[in-house]
Amino acid sequence: MKPLTRAAVAADPAPIRAAHLGLGAFFRAHQAWYTQAANAESDQPTGIAAFTGRRPDAAIPLRNQDGLYHVLVRDAGGDRTELVTCLVGAHDGADAGTWRATLASPDVGVLTLTVTEAGYRRAADGGLDLDDPDVAADVARLRAGDPHVTTAPGRIVSGLVARRAADAGPLAVVPCDNLVDNGPTVARVVTDFAAAVDRDLADWIASSVSFVSTTIDRITPATTDDDRAVVAELTGYADAAPVVTEPFSEWVLAGDFPAGRPDWERAGARLVTDVKPFEQRKLWLLNGAHSLLAYAAPARGHSTVAEAVADPVCRGWVEAWWDEATRHLPLDAADVARYRAELMERFANPRIRHALNQIAMDGSQKLPIRVVPVVARERANGLLPEGGIRALAGWIRHLREGTAVRDPRASELTAAVDTSLPTAVRRVLLALDANLGEDVELVHAVTETARELGA
Ligand code: CS2
């Protein structure tokens, strides 16, 4: 087996023109993969310096192979590998010196982000949660000039402090997480943070930093040892950090890039004036169905998405949910029908082992944007939406099981469900949305479905 190095594959590092926070599998299968395609025909290729978010060790195997890795693209018919060479630096996010130097470089014009829904540390009103002790500690550090911050908003602002001090010019920040209005949402969090540190910094951000809205999509399960073995067999290289994904990918962006950007359109990215229709379609149909399956399908013994949709009962649950969500999508019926058919095929891809428990994490951050908006609209029309109700009921079952709850609100939520089922349902719905919790008919319906799922 050959070691994977730049010398072995004759790939010189491209100059660093982009930074990324959240060095995980999704970034490597998506934004880096698009950048790789853009570089293929460019005389100004972009190298990316990427920094870890929650898992500092993710940088180590990549650093050991000069940032190189393979994307293993799996579809029902077979596997193919693609080598990615545009990752030029793989750093621990705690390396404040390198982070600041990267953002202070005038060559760097883009900062992409994948820090998860929970990583932005938002309060219930959507702004930065200044009461979060980690956030408060980071604000105090930056006020004292100490760059060793730990939260994602803290790191972003710390990088911007350095950029402003270096007079390195404008920058585009490109959030690639499944949030509603992710550009303005992240602009608000970052501006709140900056204002807590220094009002002039917040003003500089308003005039120099553009926040781009995006809809991103590519199903990327966690890599297993089997996947590493497949890559070794297909390529002959000992790649310790391949990433597995499906053939499909989507990237829709709206906003300004005042310091330029890679030509991501070469790999199919679309620049539009408004991402909203794409965002709702993706968050409700794809992510909503994912959450429904993650919480309800274990009750039928399933542990992956493909297994679940091979079961006609679970497939029926998904179709019911899609019927409900589709009623509220301002999109052409034929387009939605096509999207649904394609999505069911993607879910059924037997070579993608997408674990339901991977999707189940952070429900308190996901359900309010994936499921609640549709349920609320259906209730306003006097309906009891079966699919949405099942997703909520499944979540309550998951919380009551209590063993694998990974969520920033885990302790509050697992305490809330430690009571009779109807009370648990009411409390959890109240925690999601006051109107839902006060809706007696809905509480009753969710309770019945939760009971049916064995909650
Ligand atoms: C999933 C997403 O884990 C989850 O919550 O729903 O990561 C999903 O696979 C991606 O958004 C697909 O683009």
Side-chain angles (χ1 to χ4, degrees):
M1 195 76 52
K2 295 171 285 181
L4 186 56
T5 62
R6 287 193 182 267
V9 300
D12 289 337
I16 294 175
R17 300 185 210 276
H20 181 79
L21 181 60
L23 173 51
F26 184 73
F27 154 71
R28 296 194 291 122
H30 194 274
Q31 299 98 70
W33 178 86
Y34 276 88
T35 302
Q36 183 72 21
N39 286 352
E41 294 171 60
S42 170
D43 51 10
Q44 286 224 313
T46 294
I48 307 174
F51 294 76
T52 57
R54 293 198 286 199
R55 292 193 32 227
D57 53 341
I60 299 167
L62 286 160
R63 224 163 26 228
N64 291 341
Q65 49 196 49
D66 298 340
L68 304 174
Y69 65 92
H70 292 90
V71 176
L72 175 62
V73 183
R74 317 197 90 170
D75 69 16
D79 293 336
R80 71 168 193 273
T81 58
E82 296 174 23
L83 179 66
V84 173
T85 61
C86 66
L87 182 62
V88 167
H91 307 283
D92 181 342
D95 179 353
T98 309
W99 171 249
R100 282 195 155 189
T102 303
L103 271 291
S105 163
D107 298 336
V108 170
V110 174
L111 166 61
T112 50
L113 306 170
T114 50
V115 305
T116 79
E117 294 89 335
Y120 293 101
R121 312 274 181 146
R122 288 171 306 146
D125 70 354
L128 179 70
D129 185 1
L130 285 158
D131 293 331
D132 177 322
D134 297 333
V135 169
D138 275 359
V139 168
R141 288 187 185 106
L142 289 188
R143 287 176 76 119
D146 173 2
H148 297 102
V149 288
T150 64
T151 65
R155 286 189 177 148
I156 297 165
V157 171
S158 174
L160 295 176
V161 166
R163 189 167 187 90
R164 176 172 174 238
D167 200 12
L171 179 79
V173 172
V174 188
C176 300
D177 287 292
N178 292 314
L179 303 174
V180 174
D181 287 334
N182 57 12
T185 298
V186 174
R188 179 159 170 214
V189 166
V190 169
T191 307
D192 285 355
F193 197 114
V197 174
D198 168 2
R199 194 60 254 175
D200 291 347
L201 175 66
D203 292 344
W204 177 82
I205 290 173
S207 62
S208 303
V209 180
S210 157
F211 291 86
V212 176
S213 284
T214 66
T215 291
I216 63 283
D217 190 5
R218 196 164 204 187
I219 291 172
T220 308
T223 308
T224 64
D225 287 340
D226 285 351
D227 302 325
R228 277 181 272 273
V230 169
V231 170
E233 197 177 308
L234 289 174
T235 66
Y237 285 103
D239 182 347
V243 56
V244 182
T245 194
E246 59 175 343
F248 179 94
S249 71
E250 180 173 65
W251 200 2
V252 187
L253 306 99
D256 297 328
F257 288 85
R261 63 170 170 83
D263 199 358
W264 291 315
E265 291 93 326
R266 286 191 189 283
R270 271 178 295 172
L271 269 288
V272 300
T273 48
D274 181 14
V275 299
K276 196 78 200 169
F278 302 96
E279 174 192 287
Q280 282 183 332
R281 185 179 72 175
K282 197 258 170 171
L283 283 177
W284 295 356
L285 299 182
L286 189 153
N287 298 114
H290 260 175
S291 292
L292 161 64
L293 292 173
Y295 299 129
R300 292 186 55 82
H302 304 305
S303 56
T304 68
V305 174
E307 254 171 49
V309 297
D311 173 349
V313 171
C314 297
R315 190 179 273 246
W317 294 347
V318 171
E319 294 287 356
W321 162 248
W322 284 348
D323 288 345
E324 293 152 17
T326 300
R327 285 200 272 275
H328 306 282
L329 282 173
L331 296 170
D332 180 72
D335 278 355
V336 178
R338 231 186 340 264
Y339 186 85
R340 283 173 56 160
E342 197 181 21
L343 191 50
M344 192 55 95
E345 247 181 70
R346 294 170 61 198
F347 283 174
N349 183 340
R351 301 170 69 77
I352 295 285
R353 285 192 52 78
H354 198 186
L356 294 173
N357 65 10
Q358 181 183 343
I359 300 167
M361 71 187 281
D362 293 346
S364 71
Q365 311 295 303
K366 293 174 175 176
L367 291 171
I369 54 185
R370 300 175 172 199
V371 171
V372 170
V374 172
V375 172
R377 284 167 171 80
E378 290 280 276
R379 291 304 292 139
N381 292 344
L383 300 169
L384 279 170
E386 173 196 329
I389 286 171
R390 190 170 309 278
L392 298 172
W395 191 42
I396 286 151
R397 175 186 190 272
H398 170 77
L399 295 173
R400 275 164 80 88
E401 278 201 328
T403 43
V405 180
R406 289 177 295 162
D407 193 296
R409 293 173 72 183
S411 48
E412 167 201 343
L413 290 164
T414 47
V417 296
D418 189 12
T419 174
S420 72
L421 186 58
T423 308
V425 168
R426 184 164 179 277
R427 287 185 184 165
V428 169
L429 294 188
L430 277 175
L432 278 183
D433 178 303
N435 291 330
L436 297 191
E438 300 299 354
D439 181 339
V440 177
E441 241 188 299
L442 180 70
V443 170
H444 179 72
V446 173
T447 305
E448 288 305 300
T449 306
R451 197 164 278 138
E452 183 199 307
L453 292 174

